């Protein structure tokens, strides 16, 4: 079984379910494990003209996200299709978070363990990315329901299912 670090739309169980649910051999969502994590040495930015983010290497930055464990090889192929050719899959080391920190209160997060997982990195460095960070809470509150119902966002995944 495989583990991924997600930092964007795939932090949502609903989006993951939409990506992997139509495959007969797909993993049941209830068997996936979600763990908050930090990826150091990368920066997250919103893709210009899109409602999703990308990450690129940036020495002194970090990205908050979610490690999701328990994906099958079939699931990995579907995740690759969903992410598309603007991203490449990389192995990275993340720190799981036992206790989240707060920028507002200036309290540090408390790391639990280091894991080597896979993630999707934007192929073009910072090119094509906004200067704005992408906010998961805002995505959930304003866009998640429409995103999951959208045929456009899952067009390639659905095309892949139809080939099977």
């Amino acid at each position: 079984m495989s583990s991924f670090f997600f930092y964007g739309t795939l932090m949502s169980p609903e989006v993951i379910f939409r990506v992997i649910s139509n495959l007969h051999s797909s993993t049941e969502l209830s068997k996936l494990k979600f763990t908050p994590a930090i990826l150091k040495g990368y920066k997250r930015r919103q893709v210009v003209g899109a409602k999703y983010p990308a990450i690129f290497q940036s020495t002194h930055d970090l990205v908050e996200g979610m490690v999701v464990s328990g994906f099958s090889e079939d699931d990995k192929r579907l995740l690759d299709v969903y992410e598309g050719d603007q991203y490449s899959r990389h192995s990275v080391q993340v720190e799981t978070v036992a206790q989240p920190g707060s920028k507002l209160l200036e309290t540090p997060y408390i790391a639990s363990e280091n894991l080597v997982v896979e993630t999707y990195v934007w192929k073009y460095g910072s090119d094509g990315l906004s200067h704005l960070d992408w906010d998961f809470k805002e995505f959930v509150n304003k866009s998640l329901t429409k995103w999951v119902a959208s045929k456009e966002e899952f067009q390639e995944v659905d095309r892949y299912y139809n080939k099977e």
Side-chain angles (χ1 to χ4, degrees):
M1 291 296 176
S2 296
S3 298
F4 282 84
F5 174 78
F6 295 134
Y7 53 84
T9 61
L10 286 167
M11 288 194 298
S12 164
E14 293 89 347
V15 174
I16 291 174
F17 182 73
R18 177 63 177 84
V19 171
I20 69 172
S21 67
N22 291 330
L23 195 63
H24 298 298
S25 60
S26 70
T27 302
E28 291 180 39
L29 192 60
S30 63
K31 293 184 180 177
L32 298 177
K33 180 181 174 193
F34 291 74
T35 308
I38 301 289
L39 173 62
K40 293 181 177 178
Y42 286 82
K43 182 176 274 205
R44 174 179 51 209
R45 289 289 180 245
Q46 185 161 331
V47 175
V48 172
K51 294 188 179 194
Y52 53 85
I55 60 172
F56 61 96
Q57 287 189 315
S58 181
T59 307
H60 301 291
D61 290 295
L62 60 82
V63 176
E64 296 176 351
M66 192 72 61
V67 168
V68 183
S69 304
F71 290 107
S72 69
E73 288 300 312
D74 287 336
D75 297 335
K76 285 173 66 169
R77 280 191 285 283
L78 289 168
L79 291 167
D80 287 348
V81 169
Y82 176 72
E83 289 295 344
D85 60 5
Q86 296 175 313
Y87 297 86
S88 57
R89 189 169 8 120
H90 291 259
S91 289
V92 294
Q93 182 172 305
V94 298
E95 294 179 4
T96 60
V97 177
Q99 179 177 332
S102 169
K103 291 178 185 175
L104 180 65
L105 300 175
E106 297 182 1
T107 56
Y109 69 91
I110 298 173
S112 177
E113 64 179 318
N114 291 323
L115 298 174
V116 175
V117 298
E118 295 182 90
T119 197
Y120 293 95
V121 177
W122 187 247
K123 287 183 175 179
Y124 313 108
S126 61
D127 291 346
L129 303 180
S130 160
H131 67 282
L132 301 173
D133 194 357
W134 182 86
D135 187 288
F136 180 65
K137 288 180 185 173
E138 183 176 322
F139 170 76
V140 169
N141 291 332
K142 294 183 178 180
S143 303
L144 178 60
T145 302
K146 287 181 187 175
W147 189 272
V148 172
S150 169
K151 290 185 185 278
E152 180 182 336
E153 300 304 337
F154 299 94
Q155 179 178 339
E156 294 302 317
V157 171
D158 292 341
R159 189 174 294 141
Y160 182 87
Y161 285 133
N162 291 331
K163 288 181 187 176
E164 293 291 303

